[in-house]
Amino acid sequence: MPITDIPRPLGKKLQDGRSFFPSGVADGGAGRVRLVPGIEPPILADVRLRINGTEHQLTIDTRTSLLDLLREHLDLTGAKKGCDHGQCGACTILIDGRRANACLALAVAHNGAEIVSVEGLADGDILHPLQRAFIEHDAFQCGYCTPGQLCSAVGMLDEVRDGWPSAVTPLLAAEGEIELTAAEIRERMNGNLCRCGAYANIVPAIGDAAA
Amino acid sequence: MSVTVTGAIGAAVDRVEGRAKVTGQAKYAYEYRQDAVAYAAILQSTVAKGAVRTVEAASVLELPGVHAVLWHDNAPRLHEVSDGELEVLQSDRVSYRGQIIGAVIADSYETARQAERLVRIEYAQEPHDVLLRADHPKLYTPEKVNPNYPAVTEDGDFDSAFAAAEVKIDCTYETPAEHNNPMEPHATLAIWEENGVTLFDSNQGVVNVKTTVARAFGLEPDQVRVVSPHVGGGFGSKGTPRPHVILAVMAAQALGRPVKLAVTRQQMFALTGYRTPTIQRMRLGADRDGRLTAIGHEAILQSSTVREFAEQAALPSRMMYEAPHRRTTHRLARLDVPTPSWMRAPGETPGMYALESAMDELAIAGGIDPIELRVRNDPEVDPETGHRFSSRNLVACLREGAERFGWNSRDSRPGVHREGRWLIGTGVAASTYPARRQPSSARASYEPDHGYKIQIAAADIGTGARTALTQIAADALEVPVEEVEVQIGDSSFPEAFLAGGSMGNSSWGSAVVKACRELRARMAEEGSEVPLWVEVDTKAEAAAASAEPLAKHGFGAQFIEARVDVDTGEVHVPRALGVFAVGRIINPKTARSQFIGGMTMGIGMALHEESLIDLEFGDYLNHDLAGYHVPTNPDIEQLEAIWLEEDDPHVNPMGAKGIGEIGIVGTAAAVANAVHHATGIRVRDLPIRPDKLVGAVPRGNR
Amino acid sequence: MRPFRFERATDAQQAVALLGDAPDARYLGGGTNLVDLMRLGVETPGTLIDVTRLVGYDRIDEGDDGGLRIGAAVRNSDLAADPRVRERYPVLAEAVLHGASGQLRNLATVGGNLLQRTRCAYFTDVTKPCNKRALGTGCPAREGRHHNHAIFGHSEHCVATHPSDMAVALAALGATVHALGPAGARTIPIPGFYRLPEDAPHRDTLLEPGELITAVELGPPPGRQTRQRYRKVRERRSFAFALASVAAVLDLESSGTVSDVRIALGGVAHMPWRATRAEVALRGAPVTPERATEAAQAELEYAQPLRDNSYKVELAHNLIAATLMELAA
C-alpha cells in the first residue's frame, strides 16, 4: 500500500529496536534488583536464532515469546497474534522444521533454533505451492489467520510424509502411507481457527498443493 | 441504468491483495513500525457495578520502563463523546465488569503486561444485575431498534386471528450472547503530534474513527488521520470505534510518544461488543392449507446501562411472509453488562433462527412440507409497506436447493432414519437481508505514466471489497482490471460509508462507478496526455434510491444434513448447501467465500457458540478461544454455496445486493430443524450441544 | 508476567539441584500450559528450568519384556507417531492425538502433559477466587458455571476436572511415573499419581516439591487378543477439552469371555477416573449389550453430579457401554 507520508515520530529516538531497557537495570544473574514486592525489573538474555535463513543475535527479555521477538523486535509481522495462548494457531511457525505456536514458545527456550515464518516460505518471487493454492482457492478472507494456516499446512504435510497418524487415521497401528483425505486434512488443521470461515476452501487448497 | 459490461464484473478474479496476505507482507494495525513506541496495557474493572475508589500506582511507576499509569483522576478530559462506552476514564463509575478503568504505559510489551497486574485498585462495589430473563422487572420498549426502525408494529388484529387459527404454534426460542471474535484483536497505534494525531487502527470504517476521535479530543477532523489498509475481520465489532481507541490516543497524548495498544483476546469479551442474548416468543397461526393468518414475534433483549443498543430481532417477521394479522415487539432490559452491538446480520440472525424454527414447527403441526409452507406464504408485496419487491426470488432458491439437495425424496417423519450409531435428518430455512446503500464519495484519477487510480475511504475487512471495487472500476472505465489500482482504508481518501449492513460494495461501488464515468467523460474531452482526476459523491443518488417505493432485500435458502450420535448427542453437519438470490455477483470467487463464511459462522451459532454470563462476578466467564468455541476445520464438511441469476436494476448501478451477512441468516434454524428431523427433539435454546441431546434418545432404541 | 531467570539443565540431577536453589522455580517443558498460565498470572515463577534437553530423556526405550520407557521430554507428537506405541498401546496414541492441535503436540512434552492444570475458567482468571490457585479463597464453580465440571470425587473445595487425554489412557494401561527429587528417585503408578481435591485442591498430584518427572513406563504390552479404544466427546469436533472421554482396554478369551478389562474416564473428575466397578462387573463373561449397560450403571450410580452437569452421568454411561460394545464386536 502506498502510505508514503507516515508521520515522523516524536520523543527520544532509541538506537535500535532491541535496546529497550535502560542500561544496568538488569544483569540476568543472581544480584537481581528487587525494589518493592512484585516490582521486579526485566531479566535479559542473549539468544541466537536462524530465521528464514538469516542469523540473528539479540538480547531480549526472558519473557519474550518467539512471536513477539519476530513481530516487535525484527519487524517480521507475518506471524500473527490472535490469542497469545495457543488457542487459535495464527502464530504458527516452523521451529526446527516442525510447526509450533510461536506465542507459547519462549525465545530463550529455543535459543539456537532454525525458524521459518510465512515470510520464509516463498523462494524469492516464486510462491510456495501452498501460497499459490491459497490464492487460487480463495482460502482466506481477512488474511489474519493465513500465515499460520500456511505454516501449519507446510508442517502438517511433512508430518503426513513421515507417516504420522492423526485422530481420524484408520488402522492407527498400521505403518505405511497416509491417505490424505479431506477428513485427514481437516483434523490435522484443527489448531488453526479461521473466523471468516474459509475452511471449505482451505481443505481443497491444501489437497491441491499436496497432490 | 446499468454498467457497461466489459467482463470484469462477474469474473472470478483472485483477491488483489492475495499475494501480500499469503507472504505475510500485508500490514495490520499493530504491525506498523514506529521508533520509540510505547506499549499500553488496559486495566479492567473487577467489579460489575460501583465506583473506583483508589488506584495505587506509585510503586508500579518505580518499575524500570513504566512511564505512566492513567486512570480517571489523571486522564485528560474528553471534549464531546456521544457513546457512553467511549467516555473512557471520565469518571469513577464502573458500569460492567471488565470496563476500562486505567492503563499502564511502558517501554516494552512484557513490562506493560507485568505492570498491569501490579496496580492495586479499590472499589466501592454495588450489587449487580446481569441476567436477562423474560420476567425481568426492568423490561421496557425502546423508542427505536437498530438502526432506526420502530420497536413495535401491529397490523390487523393479531390476538383474535391467532386465537381463531386452525393450526398454530406458540414457542419461545432463546439464543445466548455471542462474541464476534475476529481473528485480529482490536488494535490501535496512536501517534500524537503537534498538528494532530495519526492512527493505525483495525476498524470497519476509517471515517467513523476519524470523526469520533476528532470530537473526543477537540480536534478538527482534518487533524486526525486513520490508516487501515488491512483489517483482520470485524463482523460488526469494528464498525464503531471501541473504547481502547480513545485510550490509545489519550496515552499517546499524555506520553508524547507513539503508543501501541492491542486489546487481548480475553479483554475483547468485555470491550469490543457482542450479540445480545435473545428470548423470542413466536406465535404463528395458519389455516388448514398452511396459509398464515397471524404472525407474532416478541423479542426480549439486553443492553447496558451506558448505552442503549436494541437489536432488531423481530424485524424479519415484518417482511418475510404474508399474513393479515401481525405483531412484532422488542423489549429491552438495561443490565450491568457490556453494551451489545453489531454482530454479523444483527436482527436477522437471531430473528430468523426463531422465525424459521417456528415455520418448521408449524409445517409439522399442519402436516405440510416446510418448503411448501414457505412457498404458500411468499408475499406478492412487502407486507409491512405494501411496496413491490425490487426482486424477490426466495421461492426459486427453495426450489433450486430442494432439487440439488435431494429434498424431494425426504421422509418427513422425524427420528426414523438411522445408520449405525447415527440418526440422520435434513432441515431447511430461509435467509434474507436488506439491500440498502448509503452515500459515499470517491476519487478517480488518471496519470499517463501510472494509469488509473481510485481512492475511497472504504474498508476491506476480508470481504473482498478491494477486489470487487477494482472490477467495478475497470468495467466503468472500460479497461482491464490490471490497469486499475484501488486504494482504500485511509481517511485522507474521499469519505465513504463503513463496511457494515452489507452496504459496502453497494455504497462504494456506486460512488466508484460515478467517479469513473466522470473521469471517462473528462478524458473524452481533454484527452489522455495530461493527468486528470475527479471526485464525486452519491448523496443525491442514495437519497433517490432510498425514496423509491420498493422493498429491496436479498433472499436465500439453506439446506442442512445433521447427524446425531445416539449415545453421545454429538451433532455433525456432513452437508450444507446455501442457495442465494442477491442480484448480480461482482466476483464469484470472493462472493462464494462470503456465503460459505457466513454459513460457517451460522453452524458455529447453531452448535457451539455461547458466552456464559457469570452471575456471581458479572462477566462473560468463558472469555477466550478455548472456552468460547468457534467452528474449527473438522466442524465443516461438505459446504457449498450457489446463487441464482437475478437482475435487479433498482438496488444500485451494479445491480448487486450486499452479500456479507445473508450467509449466516437462517443457518442455525436449518441446523436445528435438521436435528429435529434426525431425532424428534426440538432444541429451542442455542447452541445445540451434546448436553442438550444426550439421553434424549431412549436407551431402548440404541 | 513476572520476570524470570532462565536456566537450561542438561541432566536430571542438575535440574533438581537448580530447583533446590530457587524455591520459586518451575520446570519448563514445552511451555504450552506453563507459559499460558504465566501470561495469565496464575503461575509466577522467578526461575524457569528448561528440562526439554535433558540428555537421554527425549527417547522411548524398549524393555526386555516389550514394555516401553518413555522419556519425560518426548514430545507428544513423537509419542503418538512411535510405531511401537501405535502397535502395542494404540489407546495411548489415540488419546494423545485427541488432545490439543498438531502444533501444540509438537511442543508439549510427556512430563508436561501429565502436569497440565485444569481449564476451569475460575482457575485461569486471577481476579476471581479459586482454591486450586489460591487455597482458602473459595470455589465459585460449585454454585456457578460448572456444566463442564466433575461428577466424581469432587469436594466442597473444588469441582475441577483434569484436562489430559494422555493421562486417561495411561490410567487404563496401568502406567508408572518415574520421578527424581531431592530425596532421590521413585516410581508412582497412575492413577495413584493423581489425587482427588479433598481439602487441598492446589495439589493435583502426589509429587513432592522439587520432584521432576523423568519418564513414564508402560508394562509388557497386552496380548494380541486385546482391544483398545479411546473415545472423546467435545463441544466441537476437534481441538477442545473433553466433556467426557473413555479409555478402554479389553482382553477377551477366544470364547468371548472377558478375561481382563480396564476402563478410565476423562473429563469427569479431578484425575483420570478408573471405572473399577464397571471393570469388576464385566470380568468373567462375554460382553453383551445388557452387561455393558450394567457395567456402566455399576460405575455411574456412584456419580455425584452438580446442579448443571447431570448430563455427564448419561454421557459417561453411554460412552462406556458403547465403547465396550464396539470393542467386543
Side-chain angles (χ1 to χ4, degrees):
Chain A
M1 289 305 295
I3 297 154
T4 48
D5 49 346
I6 290 173
R8 200 167 42 81
L10 297 180
K12 74 170 192 275
K13 192 167 159 66
L14 297 181
Q15 283 171 339
D16 63 53
R18 282 168 289 168
S19 50
F20 274 7
F21 307 106
S23 56
V25 169
D27 59 11
R32 214 137 50 96
V33 193
R34 198 159 187 171
L35 306 164
V36 186
I39 305 301
E40 297 169 283
I43 295 168
L44 306 186
D46 294 330
V47 294
R48 193 176 48 75
L49 294 160
R50 193 172 172 81
I51 300 170
N52 300 328
T54 306
E55 285 284 338
H56 291 269
Q57 200 138 13
L58 301 95
T59 302
I60 51 152
D61 191 320
T62 54
R63 295 171 292 184
T64 307
S65 65
L66 273 180
L67 180 62
D68 286 328
L69 181 142
L70 292 171
R71 287 168 62 83
E72 303 300 319
H73 296 250
L74 296 176
D75 202 25
L76 287 168
T77 55
K80 302 303 183 199
K81 188 180 283 189
C83 73
D84 222 11
H85 287 272
Q87 300 163 354
C88 80
C91 66
T92 305
I93 57 170
L94 300 165
I95 304 177
D96 293 327
R98 287 188 175 192
R99 56 180 172 158
N101 305 76
C103 71
L104 294 179
L106 293 168
V108 285
H110 294 273
N111 192 7
E114 169 102 32
I115 306 291
V116 174
S117 66
V118 72
E119 291 94 336
L121 294 185
D123 178 8
D125 281 344
I126 302 165
L127 295 181
H128 188 284
L130 278 162
Q131 291 173 313
R132 285 204 300 275
F134 267 55
I135 293 174
E136 169 63 29
H137 286 268
D138 207 34
F140 54 91
Q141 293 201 47
C142 80
Y144 200 77
C145 74
T146 313
Q149 301 275 2
L150 286 163
C151 288
S152 185
V154 169
M156 180 275 278
L157 292 176
D158 283 343
E159 292 166 7
V160 170
R161 263 174 230 120
D162 289 344
W164 290 14
S166 83
V168 299
T169 306
L171 301 172
L172 183 76
E175 278 190 81
E177 208 167 299
I178 306 277
E179 191 193 345
L180 193 63
T181 60
E184 282 282 0
I185 295 174
R186 289 184 199 118
E187 170 60 22
R188 289 166 188 270
M189 293 298 292
N190 69 348
N192 291 89
L193 302 182
C194 170
R195 187 58 159 161
C196 294
Y199 301 122
N201 290 344
I202 290 170
V203 173
I206 294 174
D208 271 12
Chain B
M1 180 178 84
S2 68
V3 179
T4 315
V5 177
T6 62
I9 287 184
V13 176
D14 288 343
R15 217 168 268 270
V16 294
E17 76 284 6
R19 192 180 177 96
K21 283 180 173 173
V22 300
T23 54
Q25 301 305 313
K27 289 269 185 202
Y28 296 79
Y30 199 76
E31 299 170 353
Y32 283 86
R33 192 165 176 80
Q34 284 288 304
D35 288 332
V37 76
Y39 293 80
I42 293 170
L43 300 174
Q44 292 180 286
S45 71
T46 57
V47 303
K49 190 178 183 184
V52 174
R53 279 273 176 270
T54 59
V55 174
E56 201 285 292
S59 62
V60 177
L61 288 168
E62 288 186 42
L63 183 62
V66 173
H67 291 288
V69 177
L70 285 177
W71 74 99
H72 69 85
D73 223 21
N74 67 0
R77 295 301 97 189
L78 296 172
H79 287 246
E80 191 194 331
V81 179
S82 54
D83 174 353
E85 283 280 357
L86 301 185
E87 288 179 16
V88 179
L89 309 185
Q90 299 302 292
S91 84
D92 63 355
R93 282 304 303 167
V94 173
S95 302
Y96 57 88
R97 199 178 204 270
Q99 194 171 17
I100 294 180
I101 53 164
V104 182
I105 306 148
D107 277 338
S108 79
Y109 173 73
E110 291 81 9
T111 298
R113 296 298 309 276
Q114 174 191 4
E116 167 203 331
R117 299 198 189 284
L118 298 174
V119 181
R120 296 278 159 252
I121 297 154
E122 281 178 25
Y123 303 88
Q125 188 173 0
E126 298 164 25
H128 58 250
D129 175 8
V130 295
L131 184 65
L132 182 67
R133 343 184 285 263
D135 61 349
H136 199 288
K138 283 187 183 165
L139 287 173
Y140 71 100
T141 302
E143 291 255 316
K144 296 279 182 188
V145 294
N146 178 63
N148 198 24
Y149 294 106
V152 175
T153 61
E154 286 275 359
D155 293 272
D157 180 354
F158 170 78
D159 290 320
S160 305
F162 182 72
E166 292 167 323
V167 183
K168 57 184 137 184
I169 60 110
D170 179 352
C171 301
T172 298
Y173 303 89
E174 295 187 28
T175 61
E178 295 153 1
H179 278 78
N180 310 54
N181 276 312
M183 293 310 298
E184 182 203 16
H186 298 57
T188 304
L189 162 57
I191 304 148
W192 185 279
E193 294 172 294
E194 247 172 72
N195 306 329
V197 60
T198 300
L199 304 180
F200 294 87
D201 181 61
S202 182
N203 62 67
Q204 295 176 220
V206 287
V207 177
N208 250 2
V209 178
K210 176 180 87 166
T211 313
T212 304
V213 167
R215 279 200 199 124
F217 289 87
L219 300 168
E220 293 301 320
D222 63 6
Q223 287 181 287
V224 181
R225 182 169 172 211
V226 183
V227 183
S228 316
H230 298 290
V231 178
F235 314 108
S237 72
K238 295 172 183 172
T240 57
R242 294 287 156 193
H244 72 280
V245 176
I246 302 294
L247 188 65
V249 177
M250 253 182 201
Q253 183 188 19
L255 207 65
R257 270 171 68 177
V259 168
K260 275 170 125 174
L261 173 56
V263 182
T264 67
R265 180 61 61 182
Q266 289 83 352
Q267 291 168 343
M268 284 170 71
F269 283 78
L271 297 176
T272 62
Y274 62 99
R275 194 195 301 286
T276 174
T278 72
I279 303 167
Q280 302 178 67
R281 183 180 182 194
M282 297 297 312
R283 283 179 288 173
L284 300 180
D287 65 21
R288 280 193 210 293
D289 295 331
R291 288 198 172 72
L292 285 164
T293 52
I295 299 176
H297 190 161
E298 294 156 283
I300 291 171
L301 317 143
Q302 77 183 29
S303 192
S304 70
T305 61
V306 296
R307 186 160 81 86
E308 180 184 271
F309 176 84
E311 179 149 345
Q312 68 275 35
L315 199 72
S317 289
R318 296 177 185 171
M319 48 63 66
M320 272 308 285
Y321 302 112
E322 185 76 61
H325 306 283
R326 286 174 291 119
R327 170 184 293 156
T328 65
T329 68
H330 296 84
R331 283 185 299 156
L332 275 187
R334 304 280 293 268
L335 304 173
D336 303 312
V337 295
T339 313
S341 184
W342 302 327
M343 178 167 164
R344 209 167 197 169
E348 280 78 9
T349 298
M352 286 290 277
Y353 158 66
L355 175 59
E356 292 299 289
S357 295
M359 286 294 279
D360 201 63
E361 301 211 45
L362 185 73
I364 292 165
I368 305 166
D369 177 78
I371 290 179
E372 260 334 288
L373 178 67
R374 288 171 174 87
V375 171
R376 279 179 208 179
N377 291 287
D378 196 54
E380 285 293 314
V381 297
D382 178 9
E384 176 77 0
T385 60
H387 294 157
R388 281 189 303 118
F389 287 95
S390 65
S391 55
R392 177 175 171 125
N393 286 299
L394 172 60
V395 171
C397 291
L398 288 163
R399 297 273 191 237
E400 179 70 22
E403 180 67 29
R404 287 174 182 256
F405 199 74
W407 183 269
N408 301 328
S409 58
R410 178 184 191 249
D411 181 340
S412 65
R413 293 171 300 159
V416 295
H417 186 182
R418 180 170 173 169
E419 287 176 15
R421 56 186 242 236
W422 297 101
L423 293 167
I424 301 169
T426 51
V428 67
S431 307
T432 189
Y433 199 76
R436 297 167 297 198
R437 62 187 275 198
Q438 295 283 342
S440 284
S441 48
R443 183 187 299 135
S445 61
Y446 174 78
E447 286 185 49
D449 297 335
H450 295 102
Y452 297 94
K453 186 155 74 182
I454 311 296
Q455 292 182 319
I456 179 168
D460 190 333
I461 58 173
T463 56
R466 186 186 278 104
T467 310
L469 291 177
T470 305
Q471 294 173 260
I472 290 167
D475 275 9
L477 291 165
E478 299 185 20
V479 299
V481 286
E482 295 75 23
E483 292 183 24
V484 182
E485 185 189 358
V486 171
Q487 298 181 344
I488 60 172
D490 190 326
S491 67
S492 69
F493 298 156
E495 220 168 279
F497 190 66
L498 57 93
S502 295
M503 287 182 271
N505 270 346
S506 188
S507 309
W508 309 325
S510 302
V512 167
V513 167
K514 187 175 176 184
C516 290
R517 285 184 179 159
E518 288 197 13
L519 181 66
R520 265 177 57 81
R522 285 277 305 278
M523 288 175 72
E525 286 167 22
E526 300 175 35
S528 55
E529 285 76 45
V530 290
L532 285 172
W533 65 272
V534 300
E535 190 167 326
V536 302
D537 74 55
T538 60
K539 287 195 184 90
E541 292 87 342
S546 304
E548 258 184 305
L550 284 173
K552 302 172 186 176
H553 303 267
F555 291 91
Q558 302 210 21
F559 295 78
I560 293 283
E561 178 181 323
R563 293 179 172 235
V564 181
D565 187 298
V566 293
D567 298 309
T568 64
E570 293 162 288
V571 180
H572 293 183
V573 176
R575 279 199 302 151
L577 171 68
V579 184
F580 301 95
V582 286
R584 190 201 242 167
I585 293 296
I586 306 286
N587 182 332
K589 186 175 274 195
T590 55
R592 181 173 166 278
S593 292
Q594 285 281 65
F595 294 131
I596 65 172
M599 292 167 67
T600 298
M601 200 179 270
I603 290 173
M605 174 188 179
L607 299 181
H608 313 304
E609 297 185 35
E610 177 175 23
S611 303
L612 291 161
I613 194 82
D614 188 276
L615 299 186
E616 182 177 356
F617 301 101
D619 62 342
Y620 286 108
L621 177 69
N622 51 334
H623 48 238
D624 61 22
L625 291 173
Y628 184 92
H629 290 134
V630 304
T632 183
N633 204 319
D635 291 303
I636 305 303
E637 299 183 62
Q638 267 187 48
L639 186 151
E640 196 45 85
I642 59 165
W643 47 88
L644 308 180
E645 282 201 23
E646 185 179 84
D647 182 29
D648 189 334
H650 304 286
V651 285
N652 52 48
M654 296 78 65
K657 299 174 181 175
I659 56 172
E661 289 163 276
I662 194 168
I664 191 179
V665 179
T667 320
V671 173
N673 296 343
V675 167
H676 175 266
H677 185 229
T679 61
I681 298 157
R682 177 70 62 178
V683 178
R684 297 192 183 90
D685 58 327
L686 297 182
I688 308 170
R689 284 188 313 234
D691 54 296
K692 295 177 188 169
L693 291 173
V694 67
V697 181
R699 283 189 184 177
N701 289 0
R702 283 196 213 109
Chain C
M1 193 186 289
R2 182 184 167 196
F4 58 84
R5 289 194 306 156
F6 179 82
E7 307 274 2
R8 175 169 288 163
T10 50
D11 70 63
Q13 293 288 358
Q14 183 204 8
V16 172
L18 279 168
L19 195 116
D21 292 341
D24 62 352
R26 294 292 309 270
Y27 298 120
L28 175 71
T32 52
N33 191 205
L34 182 55
V35 174
D36 162 39
L37 293 174
M38 287 165 66
R39 198 164 282 142
L40 291 165
V42 174
E43 294 277 2
T44 56
T47 302
L48 286 184
I49 299 162
D50 183 350
V51 293
T52 59
R53 310 209 188 172
L54 303 183
V55 174
Y57 285 72
D58 59 351
R59 288 204 317 263
I60 301 175
D61 293 320
E62 200 166 338
D64 294 337
D65 57 4
L68 297 177
R69 183 187 163 103
I70 303 158
V74 169
R75 305 286 171 172
N76 284 195
S77 46
D78 288 316
L79 175 65
D82 189 279
R84 296 162 295 183
V85 173
R86 286 159 65 184
E87 194 200 324
R88 298 171 206 175
Y89 313 97
V91 67
L92 176 57
E94 276 189 301
V96 172
L97 293 171
H98 277 79
S101 66
Q103 48 269 61
L104 285 168
R105 292 193 295 268
N106 278 341
L107 285 170
T109 61
V110 166
N113 187 322
L114 287 175
L115 294 180
Q116 60 179 309
R117 311 298 308 272
T118 184
R119 262 49 174 208
C120 171
Y122 298 97
F123 172 74
T124 55
D125 185 344
V126 295
T127 68
K128 292 173 183 167
C130 168
N131 285 324
K132 183 177 277 300
R133 191 185 63 244
L135 192 60
T137 55
C139 174
R142 222 188 142 76
E143 296 303 324
R145 295 285 190 176
H146 56 226
H147 89 278
N148 200 8
H149 286 65
I151 56 169
F152 283 113
H154 50 76
S155 73
E156 62 179 298
H157 305 285
C158 183
V159 295
T161 59
H162 195 268
S164 171
D165 294 297
M166 185 185 79
V168 179
L170 291 175
L173 289 168
T176 302
V177 174
H178 289 245
L180 183 70
R186 64 177 178 134
T187 57
I188 317 161
I190 296 177
F193 174 75
Y194 291 106
R195 56 184 298 283
L196 289 175
E198 299 171 327
D199 59 357
H202 61 298
R203 293 191 62 196
D204 292 348
T205 71
L206 294 179
L207 281 184
E208 294 296 330
E211 275 191 311
L212 171 71
I213 296 177
T214 54
V216 173
E217 192 172 329
L218 291 166
R224 291 215 173 272
Q225 289 308 306
T226 303
R227 302 152 189 219
Q228 307 179 24
R229 180 87 164 96
Y230 187 73
R231 228 183 125 181
K232 178 182 183 183
V233 177
R234 296 168 264 198
E235 288 186 348
R236 66 180 170 199
R237 288 284 286 273
S238 192
F239 196 27
F241 292 96
L243 295 174
S245 69
V246 62
V249 178
L250 182 67
D251 282 338
L252 295 180
E253 292 167 9
S254 51
S255 62
T257 297
V258 175
S259 54
D260 194 15
V261 59
R262 279 165 295 171
I263 300 167
L265 298 173
V268 298
H270 194 255
M271 54 191 264
W273 187 261
R274 259 303 272 279
T276 46
R277 294 183 185 92
E279 294 171 6
V280 168
L282 283 163
R283 287 196 188 99
V287 180
T288 61
E290 294 71 30
R291 296 195 66 239
T293 302
E294 280 164 24
Q297 191 58 35
E299 193 66 39
L300 270 304
E301 70 185 22
Y302 289 89
Q304 298 168 295
L306 303 165
R307 183 193 64 229
D308 292 331
N309 72 356
S310 53
Y311 78 93
K312 279 197 179 185
V313 176
E314 186 78 16
L315 183 57
H317 175 282
N318 296 355
L319 265 180
I320 292 175
T323 305
L324 287 169
M325 288 311 298
E326 188 190 328
L327 286 179

